Amino acid sequence: MPDKLVSSNSVEWGDSKVRNQATRFLATGDSHRTVAYSYRVGVSTVHRIVIQVTRVIWDALVGEFMPVPTTDDSRSIHHPWAFPNCLGAIDGKHVVIRAPDNSGSLFFNYKETYSIVLLAVVDAEYCFPVVDVGNYGRTSDGGVLANSAFSWALRDGTLGLPQDALLPGAERLGPQPYVFVANEAFPLRCDNMRPFPGTQLHGSRRTFNIRLSHARLIVENTFGILSSQWRMYRGVFGISPANVDACVKAACILHNFLRKTTKRTWRTPRPPAGQPGPPPADREAAGLQPVPRMGSNNSTWEALRVREAYLSYFSNERSVAWQPL
């Protein structure tokens, strides 16, 4: 555990036994009672330690391991998996909780469990540049995104995205915006690409969906890594939603901490043979791209235009050996 977590007004965080109780709960998902028996302390003591330690972990590490994205940071997380100008993948994860008292159906989700939603952006290094935690389980992924600070920053143009850049080998298409990729639960926007709807697609549209899904797999893989390392995600939280938020955020920031500080024994998968690499640096212009104020119809048509440009790119200039003909 980092040396920063050494003091608080209420608990001596330097005591390794105190920190171990919190990290054991996160890593194993054991109940507070089981942890209390293991350390010979009261259940209420474990509960207080877990909540306070997780909040200290987040406050101590968020500035270094999940800072507010900047233009330079956005360039550094270019997605290497067959989708140029892609900054990362977006998806939501339901964190199962015990139904809070008098909550009605607010936390009841389509899987017929009670949950809060973890909305995350994942970069090419399997890290979380952005997380949003605490929305009701009944809210759709698109609704969670629309209500998040991340979405507001995208709409206001304050997130720090790089300026539009040419796709490699496709100068005829002109500069295209940097985008995130997501599944069909999210809206189509100029900065967020989703697949074409339908299951009986052929030709270029099917190719586009396959390329987008291939790029989006990184967020599914990262959620799998998160659940394997922090097994609290595999159980049912029996604490209040506000305290669940603290545990979820602590696990996400510790995930980033481990990915960025542990000696790497893994490799980011290389693109398949024939896949284009990232765009040359000299094609990226410095500065922020201004976001014009447009009506809803104009915005929709612009998003469709961007998706059609990627469709043309994948079908012509940069097809790869593993995509369908």
Side-chain angles (χ1 to χ4, degrees):
M1 190 66 67
D3 294 337
K4 292 181 180 180
L5 311 181
V6 294
S7 64
S8 175
N9 294 331
S10 55
V11 179
E12 292 296 330
W13 303 115
D15 185 351
S16 61
K17 186 176 292 187
V18 169
R19 292 181 295 183
N20 288 345
Q21 291 176 46
T23 53
R24 173 172 173 175
F25 171 75
L26 299 179
T28 66
D30 288 344
S31 68
H32 288 176
R33 186 172 299 277
T34 300
V35 177
Y37 286 157
S38 299
Y39 290 91
R40 299 184 180 181
V41 296
V43 176
S44 61
T45 301
V46 171
H47 177 78
R48 180 169 61 92
I49 287 173
V50 168
I51 300 310
Q52 294 185 4
V53 168
T54 53
R55 289 174 177 166
V56 171
I57 289 173
W58 173 262
D59 293 339
L61 300 182
V62 66
E64 182 177 355
F65 295 99
M66 199 182 291
V68 177
T70 65
T71 304
D72 293 335
D73 294 332
S74 296
R75 283 204 192 95
S76 69
I77 62 173
H78 172 80
H79 203 301
W81 287 1
F83 211 106
N85 284 21
C86 180
L87 299 175
I90 306 174
D91 203 0
K93 177 179 176 62
H94 285 275
V95 180
V96 182
I97 63 173
R98 186 177 60 195
D101 296 336
N102 303 316
S103 62
S105 61
L106 284 176
F107 295 91
F108 192 72
N109 60 48
Y110 71 96
K111 298 180 179 180
E112 299 185 355
T113 60
Y114 293 86
S115 66
I116 63 170
V117 180
L118 163 62
L119 180 75
V121 178
V122 175
D123 64 26
E125 299 299 324
Y126 298 86
C127 290
F128 297 110
V130 179
V131 295
D132 185 274
V133 185
N135 277 273
Y136 298 128
R138 65 178 296 178
T139 310
S140 66
D141 286 345
V144 173
L145 176 64
N147 296 327
S148 66
F150 171 72
S151 180
W152 282 104
L154 279 177
R155 287 196 288 264
D156 295 343
T158 58
L159 187 62
L161 299 185
Q163 192 172 3
D164 296 0
L166 295 173
L167 300 177
E171 289 76 8
R172 68 178 183 84
L173 297 175
Q176 299 299 323
Y178 281 79
V179 298
F180 297 90
V181 293
N183 60 23
E184 60 276 3
F186 294 89
L188 176 66
R189 297 182 357 186
C190 297
D191 47 33
N192 187 69
M193 293 289 100
R194 56 165 286 173
F196 285 97
T199 57
Q200 302 297 324
L201 298 176
H202 301 282
S204 57
R205 290 195 170 192
R206 181 166 178 255
T207 297
F208 175 87
N209 282 7
I210 290 175
R211 295 284 286 266
L212 185 143
S213 297
H214 188 257
R216 202 186 63 79
L217 273 178
I218 195 167
V219 68
E220 304 288 355
N221 294 342
T222 304
F223 280 151
I225 294 171
L226 185 71
S227 297
S228 296
Q229 288 183 324
W230 309 102
R231 300 203 170 197
M232 65 173 189
Y233 287 106
R234 299 188 175 185
V236 178
F237 284 88
I239 54 181
S240 69
N243 293 334
V244 175
D245 294 354
C247 294
V248 170
K249 292 196 296 184
C252 289
I253 200 67
L254 286 173
H255 171 90
N256 282 7
F257 169 77
L258 292 174
R259 298 293 298 185
K260 294 180 179 181
T261 61
T262 305
K263 184 177 179 180
R264 294 184 58 169
T265 57
W266 60 86
R267 295 185 305 169
T268 299
R270 292 184 176 180
Q275 176 181 309
D282 58 358
R283 290 183 179 173
E284 296 178 348
L288 301 180
Q289 177 71 10
V291 179
R293 294 192 176 276
M294 299 181 292
S296 58
N297 291 335
N298 291 336
S299 178
T300 300
W301 282 109
E302 180 64 15
L304 290 172
R305 183 200 66 77
V306 173
R307 185 165 67 175
E308 288 295 330
Y310 277 98
L311 181 148
S312 175
Y313 176 78
F314 293 145
S315 300
N316 298 301
E317 281 84 358
R318 290 296 171 136
S319 61
V320 293
W322 47 267
Q323 75 182 35
L325 299 177

